Amino acid sequence: MMRNKIIGIILLLVVSVSVSAQKAERDYIRKGNRTYKDSTYVNAEVNYRKAIDVNPKSTIAMYNLGNTLMLQNKLQEAMEQYVAATKMEKDKSKLAQIYHNMGGIFHSGKHYAKAVAAYKASLRNNPKDDETRYNLALAQKMLKEQEQNQQNQDQQQQPSQPQDNKMSKENAEQLLKSVMQDEKDVQDKVKKQQVIQGGRLEKDW
């Protein structure tokens, strides 16, 4: 009987700790949301981080922290929070929002291929999001332009090589003319020698 009471007390303690942790997490998120709306992003960041300390699996706190960091232009840190949230979040509408924001960061950094992939992941989770669809189309357009610019740059760098070949070809022609002239001189010499030696073709030993 006593043993059952002890187990019961332990269970109550575990439940009460869990409930108080959830309450603390919710409180920090609420505080974070209030300061976020007031545009005091540093305070919002502090509160969201506290919520994550209480519950390291709080995807809401991660997502909100990511948004706060993004508005402070801490893009790398924001991306880390979003990536961590995608690994744990199961809700499709929330996943869509996370990937949408990841796409925005990639887009702003001109990483258009990654932006396209993130927007596509967002649409897989929420196919009805017109804003994401628009952003995807824009990122695809920018990616195409980026690839064309890269091709143009590559082509501009290549003409210098044929010029080098042309120069070497001219050099080769000059060299050939020079050799032919030398050969002509040699033949003329040989002919003169032939005349001197009475037309006999003899090698000098």
Side-chain angles (χ1 to χ4, degrees):
M1 188 75 178
M2 190 70 179
R3 190 162 172 264
N4 288 346
K5 272 189 179 177
I6 293 167
I7 291 168
I9 291 164
I10 291 167
L11 283 172
L12 279 171
L13 283 170
V14 170
V15 170
S16 64
V17 167
S18 175
V19 168
S20 67
Q22 284 176 354
K23 187 181 181 301
E25 179 198 339
R26 280 199 303 270
D27 287 347
Y28 285 131
I29 288 171
R30 282 198 195 104
K31 283 179 191 172
N33 291 349
R34 277 200 298 273
T35 48
Y36 182 92
K37 282 174 186 170
D38 293 337
S39 301
T40 50
Y41 302 122
V42 175
N43 291 343
E45 180 186 340
V46 168
N47 282 296
Y48 293 138
R49 286 193 188 279
K50 283 180 179 177
I52 292 167
D53 286 341
V54 173
N55 177 12
K57 293 183 177 180
S58 176
T59 53
I60 294 169
M62 287 175 199
Y63 173 70
N64 289 357
L65 176 58
N67 293 347
T68 307
L69 291 165
M70 192 163 69
L71 289 166
Q72 293 177 78
N73 211 31
K74 298 176 181 177
L75 302 182
Q76 185 59 45
E77 288 180 61
M79 184 61 77
E80 285 167 12
Q81 292 300 324
Y82 292 144
V83 170
T86 59
K87 289 174 182 175
M88 285 181 266
E89 185 58 68
K90 298 288 184 283
D91 185 276
K92 285 200 163 196
S93 64
K94 287 177 185 172
L95 274 170
Q97 290 175 322
I98 296 166
Y99 281 119
H100 176 95
N101 287 6
M102 286 170 72
I105 292 176
F106 285 132
H107 199 125
S108 67
K110 296 183 179 178
H111 304 296
Y112 300 121
K114 288 181 179 179
V116 166
Y119 289 137
K120 281 181 177 177
S122 178
L123 285 170
R124 276 197 296 274
N125 286 284
N126 181 12
K128 294 177 181 177
D129 192 329
D130 290 333
E131 190 186 343
T132 303
R133 191 171 284 104
Y134 171 79
N135 286 5
L136 171 61
L138 186 63
Q140 286 171 327
K141 180 176 177 281
M142 299 302 283
L143 176 62
K144 199 173 181 183
E145 284 178 15
Q146 192 180 54
E147 286 170 347
Q148 283 173 346
N149 289 340
Q150 189 60 51
Q151 282 176 353
N152 291 343
Q153 281 178 3
D154 292 345
Q155 284 169 359
Q156 281 170 3
Q157 286 168 1
Q158 281 173 353
S160 62
Q161 292 169 347
Q163 281 176 1
D164 292 342
N165 293 343
K166 194 179 177 186
M167 289 297 288
S168 62
K169 193 180 174 186
E170 284 173 8
N171 289 344
E173 282 174 0
Q174 285 175 356
L175 196 67
L176 189 66
K177 281 178 186 174
S178 171
V179 169
M180 284 169 73
Q181 185 63 44
D182 289 348
E183 197 177 330
K184 189 171 179 286
D185 293 345
V186 169
Q187 283 175 348
D188 290 343
K189 233 179 190 178
V190 168
K191 279 178 186 174
K192 281 175 187 172
Q193 281 179 351
Q194 283 174 356
V195 171
I196 293 164
Q197 292 172 7
R200 284 178 302 155
L201 275 168
E202 293 176 351
K203 286 183 183 177
D204 292 328
W205 296 99

